[in-house]
Structures are given as structure tokens and as C-alpha cells.
Amino acid sequence: MLFREATLADGRVRDVRVDGEEIAAVGADLDAAAGDDVVDCAGKHLLPGAVDVHVHFRQPGYGHKEDWGTGSRSAAAGGVTTVVDQPNTSPPTVDGAAFDEKESYADASLVDYGINGGVTADWDPSSLFARPLFALGEVFLADSTGDMGIDADLFADAVARAADADVPVTVHAEDADLFDDSVKPGGSSGGDGGDNGDGNDGGRTDADAWSAYRTAEAEAAAVKRAVQVGADADVALHIAHTSTPEGVDAAAAGGATCEVTPHHLFLSRDDLPALGTFGRMNPPLRSEERREAVLERLRDGTVDVVATDHAPHTREEKDAGIWEAPSGVPGVETMLPLLLSAVRDGDLTLERVRDVTAANPAAIFGLPRKGRVAAGRDADLVVVDLDAAREIRGDDLHSKCGWTPFEGFDGVFPELTVVRGHVAYDARGDDETFGDAVGENVRR
């Protein structure tokens, strides 16, 4: 395969030759080999495939929401060529047997993948660390509302064991002790609570209640605690889905890396009246001022990674009260298109998008063959036309859940996605097509 006259993220126009599963050469006027599929990229960009280090493909246990087939097709259609699946499935990925079960489902993946191991009160570290873990996480620090919630002592023990095993730790940092219980129905008085006018004394049921309950202060405090524990253990600590400028700054000050999500970059509490419970996620949406401040930290380099926390639920599950609806939104297919639309609008540089979606996550999580368009790297490549933005519609996406919080936003979607030299997604003709399930565990 030869990509002809492709514009790279740094503006250079180059040919890129693929031999088998890796990039063989990057240069000018490269000759095509006999039988090469020549891809004309004149006027288009060739990017490294995105590495989404935070997805929930839901299997085992919740295949009605998503499965490895639908999730990986959605990833490929969005230019994501590697994903890292989180452990809060059923059973949770907390021991070797659960790891092996999840990997059997991942055989259906069109994209490469890593599998995170998790921590619960009854986790088996000896069994878990015997598997080819991508990372130890997602560890919920002091978050009693999560299925993977652990207390501070267990968190410290898990971090110490991760340091001994030389694996990074991914942390969901929210301190449940700082949630505002007065907002909940039946909660204590004070805070943002009070009678909301419908007889629900001491609680709120509006769409913004979840954001009021899971306070910004809860995130910043938990990040500070987590980075201190990580520093004491001398472990590589990564803060998941940081939603506040205070959280981003605390991670950077403590020597940890951090990710932000597209929904925290492009949505705020101002969008909740329209989104309703479809805008409920953990951490929740923040104020418009905090959203803008997080986006600025993405621009200036303080944010290391953009990852989706792709967490699909069915429409029926989300169409419930604010206290009953499950948390989470889909996003693996729309991350890169949204960021590329921001490039098109002049809000981000293409090099910055390349770094936070590919180069940085590959470097942070030890994937030397991923994240760059360079000879010797895996041929994980995405062809995009920045002049071909289109409206995002849930009906056009490929996640099993069939909806998106970004309905009506503009996105620049890939024309072609290649995973280790295999065509995973092709929208160059009249009909889009998907490739075979060639995804591999990147730790093997």
C-alpha cells in the first residue's frame, strides 16, 4: 500500500509506503511496489491512528449496550486504531480468569486493544499481574458510588503493587466525601439543596442536579491525594477524564499525566437543559467557564491526552430520572472528528491533535510501535479531508447504543482507517465498508 502526496500533521507532504503491517518508508516520490494499492492523498491529511486509552466496550456482562464488534467498528469509523478497555464489566476484570474471559470477547475487535485490570476489595493481584495488563486501572479513588470503588488504604496498596510490577495506574479521581448530599432527594439540608418546588424536600430532580452533586472540589481534592500516593510509591500515575482546570493543574503539579474527554471539552452545564439525563456522566459536566479553561489547557500543552471514556447505554436506560439514569455517554467514533473540526475552525492545531490522540498516549503507556507516521512503526493510519466536515447524527454512527450527546455538531470523519496495514474502515466509495477482525492485544 502506498499513500501518495499525503500532508502530515506537521505540514510536510510525503509519500508513505506500507509493507505488510508496518510503515516501510516515509519520503518524497517513493516508488510503488508491484501490486500496491495506491491511495491518492493529494490535498488530504494522513494521521497516525488514534489511541483511545479509555473505553468501555461492555463485554462481558452488558453486551446489550455495546460489544467488541460494534465498539471496534465505531472506533475504526472514527479513526481510532487502538483502544484500552476498562475493568468494570461483569465479572469485573480483577483476576486472571476475568482477564482471559474478556480477551476471548476481544477476538471480535477490528482494532488493536489493551485490557485494564481493576481493583476491588477481593482482587487477586498475583493472578491479575500474571496477565499481559495494559495498565492497572481504572481505580476509583474514594468513590463509593462506583462498582470499582475502593477506600484509601486499598488504593495505596494497589499503587504499591503496581509499582513493584512496573505498570502504570489509571485513576478515576473523585472524592465521595466531598459530594454535596444536600442535592439528593432525602439528603441533608444546606448546600445547593432545598425544596425544588415539586414537593421533593431537600433534593433536586433537574438535569443539572448531577453536576451540582458531584462537585468540582471533589475532583481536585482526589487528584491531589492520588498524585501524592503515586509519588510516594514512585509509580507512573495517570488521571482519567479530568473535568476541571483545578484537576488538570493538580495532576501536572504532582508529576502525573492526565486525560480529558471530548464531552468535557465541548459540552458544559449550559447544555444540560437540552441533553437531560443523556448528559449524565462521571465526572459530570462542569460550568462553561471551567470548560473553556480546560480547553485552554489542552491548547497550551498542560493536558497530555484526549480519551473518550466511551460508555454507551441504551436510550431506554438513559431515559430515566436524573438519579436513576446510568452515567456515561458514547464517544469513540466522534473524538477525532470533533477535534479535527476544531482544527478546521482554527481553535486547535493539527499537531496538537496528533499529540494528544496518538503520540502522547502511545508514549505514556509504552507502545513504541504506535502513535507516529514513521518508518518502523505499525501502519495505523487515517486519511482525512479537513474540507469535508459533516453534521454528527446518532443514526449515522456505529455504536450499538445509536445516540450521541454531540447531535448536530460538525465533525471531520475519516475516509480511510488502516490498522497494521489492514483496511479497517473505507468510506471512499458510495458505500462504507469494514474490514476483518484483526485486532491484537498490544501487550502480547
Side-chain angles (χ1 to χ4, degrees):
M1 181 176 287
L2 180 67
F3 295 86
R4 182 75 78 188
E5 295 187 359
T7 303
L8 306 184
D10 59 11
R12 293 177 296 150
V13 177
R14 294 289 186 269
D15 295 345
V16 177
R17 181 191 298 125
V18 173
D19 184 6
E21 295 194 338
E22 73 173 30
I23 298 171
V26 178
D29 300 320
L30 297 179
D31 293 328
D36 263 352
D37 177 12
V38 178
V39 181
D40 181 8
C41 295
K44 300 173 184 178
H45 285 83
L46 184 67
L47 304 176
V51 179
D52 188 349
V53 297
H54 197 137
V55 305
H56 300 266
F57 279 178
R58 299 302 189 194
Q59 284 183 305
Y62 307 106
H64 67 286
K65 302 173 188 281
E66 191 77 283
D67 58 48
W68 278 88
T70 57
S72 64
R73 284 196 291 273
S74 192
V80 174
T81 55
T82 303
V83 298
V84 181
D85 193 70
Q86 300 302 323
N88 52 335
T89 44
S90 180
T93 317
V94 296
D95 57 32
F99 182 99
D100 293 342
E101 181 180 358
K102 177 172 288 188
E103 192 169 37
S104 71
Y105 285 101
D107 285 344
S109 182
L110 278 67
V111 303
D112 285 349
Y113 61 88
I115 295 175
N116 261 341
V119 181
T120 63
D122 56 354
W123 72 309
D124 182 352
S126 60
S127 171
L128 192 60
F129 286 136
R131 269 38 180 198
L133 280 178
F134 189 89
L136 177 67
E138 177 179 5
V139 179
F140 288 71
L141 176 58
D143 178 1
S144 61
T145 66
D147 291 340
M148 304 293 291
I150 61 173
D151 61 30
D153 290 339
L154 185 55
F155 174 72
D157 178 58
V159 169
R161 290 176 181 269
D164 290 340
D166 194 27
V167 297
V169 177
T170 299
V171 182
H172 178 143
E174 286 185 280
D175 188 341
D177 290 339
L178 295 179
F179 292 171
D180 188 353
D181 287 332
S182 69
V183 180
K184 297 178 68 175
S188 59
S189 60
D192 291 328
D195 191 336
N196 65 5
D198 63 1
N200 187 5
D201 188 24
R204 289 170 47 181
T205 56
D206 58 290
D208 186 60
W210 195 250
S211 292
Y213 168 57
R214 297 178 80 113
T215 65
E217 292 76 18
E219 176 178 278
V223 172
K224 291 176 182 177
R225 289 172 53 201
V227 297
Q228 184 59 58
V229 174
D232 292 343
D234 193 24
V235 73
L237 200 75
H238 180 72
I239 307 298
H241 44 48
T242 326
S243 65
T244 66
E246 297 91 341
V248 173
D249 292 346
T257 57
C258 77
E259 70 192 44
V260 299
T261 69
H263 44 271
H264 291 122
L265 288 170
F266 299 115
L267 299 171
S268 73
R269 293 171 78 165
D270 289 357
D271 295 293
L272 286 170
L275 287 171
T277 54
F278 287 81
R280 174 179 151 165
M281 73 280 291
N282 300 333
L285 295 179
R286 306 299 186 186
S287 68
E288 179 64 15
E289 292 75 18
R290 282 194 165 97
R291 184 200 69 80
E292 292 175 351
V294 169
L295 181 58
E296 182 55 38
R297 282 157 175 77
L298 174 63
R299 293 192 189 99
D300 69 20
T302 310
V303 169
D304 303 286
V305 171
V306 177
T308 64
D309 192 11
H310 174 79
H313 301 281
T314 68
R315 290 180 181 272
E316 292 76 18
E317 289 168 334
K318 292 293 279 188
D319 189 16
I322 193 63
W323 301 105
E324 293 77 34
S327 292
V329 297
V332 71
E333 190 169 343
T334 51
M335 173 181 70
L336 190 59
L338 286 165
L339 293 170
L340 292 176
S341 184
V343 171
R344 186 172 176 268
D345 293 341
D347 292 332
L348 291 170
T349 68
L350 192 57
E351 288 179 286
R352 188 78 188 111
V353 171
R354 173 203 63 195
D355 289 348
V356 296
T357 62
N360 289 357
I364 289 167
F365 289 97
L367 299 177
R369 297 187 60 82
K370 306 292 186 184
R372 293 284 186 185
V373 180
R377 301 282 181 126
D378 283 348
D380 296 343
L381 299 166
V382 179
V383 177
V384 298
D385 182 352
L386 290 180
D387 292 328
R390 63 178 170 84
E391 186 177 286
I392 296 173
R393 297 178 51 188
D395 289 343
D396 295 334
L397 303 179
H398 301 86
S399 171
K400 186 178 285 190
C401 73
W403 62 274
T404 172
F406 302 107
E407 189 80 27
F409 281 61
D410 284 339
V412 177
F413 287 83
E415 293 184 0
L416 183 68
T417 301
V418 175
V419 177
R420 284 181 291 101
H422 305 274
V423 174
Y425 174 74
D426 191 344
R428 291 174 295 174
D430 294 334
D431 297 316
E432 61 182 8
T433 60
F434 290 93
D436 297 328
V438 299
E440 294 182 350
N441 186 335
V442 292
R443 284 295 189 237
R444 293 196 185 278

